Amino acid sequence: MTMILARDLSKFYHRFAAIQNVSFQIDRGEIVCFLGPNGAGKSTTMKILTGFLTPTTGTAQIAGFDMSSARYEGAQRLGYLPENGPLYPDMTPRALLTFFGEMRKMHALQLRHAIDRVTELCDLSKVLGKPIGQLSRGYRQRVGMAQAILHEPDVLILDEPTAGLDPNQIHHVRETIRRIGREKTILLSTHILQEVEAVASRVLFLNEGRVVFDGPLAQFGSCAADFDRHFRELTTDALPPASNKSIHG
């Protein structure tokens, strides 16, 4: 079953095209990495998929729901962690999760079980009672992921989930993504090869607002040098704006 669908998505700001004719689909159970240089259109695409932005043209669907015309229904199936996601520093993780659960109209017993579940999944038991503002960035990211999956969504979209973390924090966040990915469909943006290797087997590559590659990680090669070479090939000014471009090493 297709859980994430982008069909001919474009977003224009006057004459500037943030993305153009972006199309792909992600099926149930896939973990896919969104790659590309800064400004390639990854965040714009993700915001359209989550319903935070409306496309100029095209269709975005989550679990079969159009995120322009049926955003509420789609949002029920979706968890979203934006880069630098907003958290309330004076609240504890437990209080934050309780707040979001109540906003989603979860009843008391359901919410208690949900908090226990995401606490274990995101390894938050040691910090549940501490103010979020006193937590490390790594723990704050895990709190953000716990909030995103509290309502057991089928789809999870993560924008640069390990940006700014130290190596130990990165390891813990990647482990969390792998655990979540056993049951969910995940799209995450990154520009780090190790991130892709750690969590995904498929790559979507955007450059200048267009999909220029959609395929298995194996086509990027097995070492950092191959990855860097292919990254440069896909972002060269001479590259034609064709989607689903294959790489031949």
Side-chain angles (χ1 to χ4, degrees), residues 5-248:
L5 175 67
R7 182 182 294 132
D8 296 325
L9 290 178
S10 295
K11 182 65 177 179
F12 291 89
Y13 296 95
H14 299 291
R15 294 184 179 180
F16 172 72
I19 58 172
Q20 291 190 69
N21 303 318
V22 169
S23 295
F24 59 85
Q25 69 179 54
I26 301 174
D27 294 334
R28 184 185 297 276
E30 283 193 276
I31 303 179
V32 178
C33 277
F34 221 175
L35 295 177
N38 292 335
K42 302 187 299 296
S43 292
T44 297
T45 304
M46 289 178 142
K47 288 176 181 177
I48 291 174
L49 289 171
T50 58
F52 280 79
L53 286 178
T54 301
T56 305
T57 59
T59 301
Q61 293 183 0
I62 297 294
F65 294 102
D66 189 301
M67 295 305 287
S68 293
S69 61
R71 184 177 183 273
Y72 178 80
E73 292 83 356
Q76 294 295 103
R77 311 288 293 275
L78 172 69
Y80 176 43
L81 180 63
E83 187 178 5
N84 302 316
L87 297 173
Y88 298 102
D90 293 332
M91 298 180 76
T92 66
R94 187 188 299 278
L96 182 86
L97 294 171
T98 300
F99 170 74
F100 278 105
E102 290 174 347
M103 291 300 99
R104 289 186 175 276
K105 302 187 184 304
M106 300 171 73
H107 61 72
L109 183 60
Q110 177 190 19
L111 179 55
R112 185 161 65 248
H113 288 326
I115 291 175
D116 289 343
R117 175 179 53 82
V118 299
T119 295
E120 180 179 0
L121 190 59
C122 298
D123 195 15
L124 293 172
S125 58
K126 295 180 181 178
V127 300
L128 271 182
K130 296 182 179 181
I132 292 171
Q134 295 180 13
L135 302 183
S136 68
R137 181 173 173 82
Y139 267 119
R140 291 198 299 271
Q141 284 294 82
R142 281 190 260 173
V143 172
M145 275 193 278
Q147 182 275 132
I149 63 173
L150 184 67
H151 58 300
E152 297 195 69
D154 297 307
V155 176
L156 191 60
I157 293 180
L158 310 173
D159 194 354
E160 298 282 357
T162 61
L165 303 186
D166 67 34
N168 287 332
Q169 294 168 340
I170 289 172
H171 172 76
H172 287 303
V173 170
R174 288 176 183 167
E175 283 293 320
T176 302
I177 292 171
R178 277 195 291 266
R179 288 196 296 270
I180 295 171
R182 294 169 188 162
E183 301 176 353
K184 310 295 181 186
T185 300
I186 298 179
L187 173 65
L188 67 96
S189 71
T190 184
H191 58 274
I192 305 169
L193 171 61
Q194 292 87 343
E195 197 110 293
V196 184
E197 292 175 323
V199 301
S201 59
R202 178 181 163 198
V203 169
L204 284 164
F205 200 107
L206 256 66
N207 186 46
E208 296 183 349
R210 297 177 183 268
V211 176
V212 293
F213 175 79
D214 180 356
L217 173 62
Q219 291 195 30
F220 270 87
S222 58
C223 66
D226 286 341
F227 178 83
D228 289 345
R229 175 170 58 84
H230 292 145
F231 194 105
R232 289 193 299 272
E233 288 174 355
L234 289 169
T235 54
T236 179
D237 291 340
L239 186 70
S243 63
N244 298 321
K245 177 182 174 63
S246 296
I247 302 174
H248 302 287

